[in-house]
Amino acid sequence: MPSTETLLKYHQHQGHTYDCAPYTVATVINAVRDQALVEGAAVAREMNRPRLRWWGPLPLPVVRRIPNSATFPWGIADELGRNNIPCRWRFGAMEADLHQALLEDRIALPIVGGWIPLWAHVKILAAFHPNHGFGFVDAAHPKAEIVWQNESAFKRSWRNFGNLLVETM
């Protein structure tokens, strides 16, 4: 998987949109390929449309996001998979899973948020430091640099959505 430097090289800022997931997906795709192949805005338009997936003989529509709004975790996994990046999503991940992903050079995309007001956000885990907490490549941040979040604040906002995690395999 790509290094932190490569993730930062392909960082894309989402601007004033609700498109953190499409811009994060674009960053991951470009970093994995080490080429500027996709733009976040184009990924957002693509993910706005449901996609058919086959389940045996049956076609099933996969609604990946509410158009121009929230993206579902299976939508992130579907778009990465469509770009030949094997991944999964799950509730109930543990902090140890994040550290393991860093050790194994896998991409971890924790989904954080709050209930009042309702909001959610996904970002790329890039580092951990005992004094700084968790470091992210974050589409909401305008600069291509590690954004640090202290451990307790991160854990609280991650726990709000059931420790939801999208991760490469």
Side-chain angles (χ1 to χ4, degrees), residues 82-137:
R82 197 174 77 76
N83 284 276
N84 299 313
I85 300 171
C87 63
R88 67 178 178 175
W89 69 274
R90 62 190 168 113
F91 285 105
M94 300 171 59
E95 183 180 351
D97 297 319
L98 300 177
H99 293 291
Q100 193 65 35
L102 288 171
L103 285 172
E104 295 175 359
D105 291 325
R106 290 184 295 107
I107 295 173
L109 307 171
I111 298 173
V112 297
W115 291 100
I116 300 174
L118 181 61
W119 64 278
H121 185 63
V122 64
K123 46 195 175 179
I124 304 166
L125 178 64
F128 178 78
H129 188 279
N131 296 330
H132 301 296
F134 290 93
F136 298 94
V137 176

Side-chain angles (χ1 to χ4, degrees), residues 3-46:
S3 66
T4 298
E5 291 75 24
T6 305
L7 287 164
L8 289 170
K9 175 181 170 182
Y10 294 105
H11 169 268
Q12 295 185 37
H13 180 230
Q14 73 187 65
H16 298 287
T17 70
Y18 294 110
D19 295 341
C20 61
Y23 278 79
T24 297
V25 166
T27 297
V28 170
I29 292 167
N30 292 340
V32 166
R33 304 286 181 258
D34 200 7
Q35 293 180 43
L37 299 172
V38 295
E39 293 183 7
V43 173
R45 286 190 300 275
E46 175 65 29

Side-chain angles (χ1 to χ4, degrees), residues 133-164:
F134 290 93
F136 298 94
V137 176
D138 191 345
H141 192 68
K143 295 181 182 175
E145 61 188 12
I146 298 295
V147 178
W148 293 97
Q149 185 175 15
N150 78 56
E151 212 172 330
S152 62
F154 167 73
K155 287 180 184 178
R156 186 174 41 259
S157 64
W158 190 37
R159 188 172 42 247
N160 283 339
F161 281 93
N163 291 22
L164 190 50

